[in-house]
């Protein structure tokens, strides 16, 4: 199971707030444990979720540092101002089982 948490928001996000979670188990998003979903964020997260769930370490994907080997960090594709009215969300992903 992969737990995705909103770690930081740069700018304005109409969907997420810091601390929101998305829980993924296999091919299923666990809706009962998920606070919010955004189709833009899913495009950035999906292939990393699969790799992490299959045991690839975040450091092998260059998604973390040696000081934080259990967590992967990915951002949504919205660049925020001055290009859009939104903002960039930084997600923390970790395998919990």
């Amino acid at each position: 199971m992969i737990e995705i948490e909103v770690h930081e928001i740069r700018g304005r996000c109409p969907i997420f707030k810091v601390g929101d979670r998305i829980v993924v188990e296999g091919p299923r998003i666990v809706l009962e444990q998920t606070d919010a979903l955004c189709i833009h964020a899913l495009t950035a997260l999906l292939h990393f979720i699969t790799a992490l769930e299959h045991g690839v370490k975040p450091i092998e994907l260059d998604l973390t540092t040696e000081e934080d080997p259990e967590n992967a960090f990915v951002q949504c594709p919205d660049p925020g101002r001055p290009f859009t009215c939104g903002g960039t969300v930084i997600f923390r992903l970790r395998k919990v089982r």
Side-chain angles (χ1 to χ4, degrees):
M1 180 163 37
I2 302 295
E3 178 185 76
I4 304 160
E5 183 177 342
V6 175
H7 180 73
E8 180 181 326
I9 299 173
R10 298 175 183 165
R12 183 189 72 81
C13 177
I15 307 297
F16 294 111
K17 64 182 182 309
V18 172
D20 278 352
R21 292 181 341 134
I22 302 167
V23 176
V24 179
E25 189 164 25
R28 181 173 87 94
I29 296 172
V30 183
L31 295 175
E32 307 80 40
Q33 297 177 44
T34 295
D35 298 309
L37 284 173
C38 173
I39 61 170
H40 300 290
L42 285 177
T43 63
L45 295 168
L46 285 177
H47 56 286
F48 294 121
I49 292 168
T50 302
L52 295 169
E53 194 158 54
H54 284 89
V56 179
K57 302 290 183 209
I59 196 82
E60 294 172 14
L61 298 169
D62 288 328
L63 296 177
T64 192
T65 62
E66 290 181 9
E67 294 78 32
D68 192 7
E70 299 301 314
N71 294 305
F73 294 90
V74 175
Q75 73 181 39
C76 86
D78 187 338
R81 295 209 178 269
F83 307 104
T84 71
C85 296
T88 297
V89 177
I90 309 295
F91 297 95
R92 179 184 59 83
L93 295 76
R94 67 185 181 108
K95 187 171 184 173
V96 293
R97 276 194 256 159

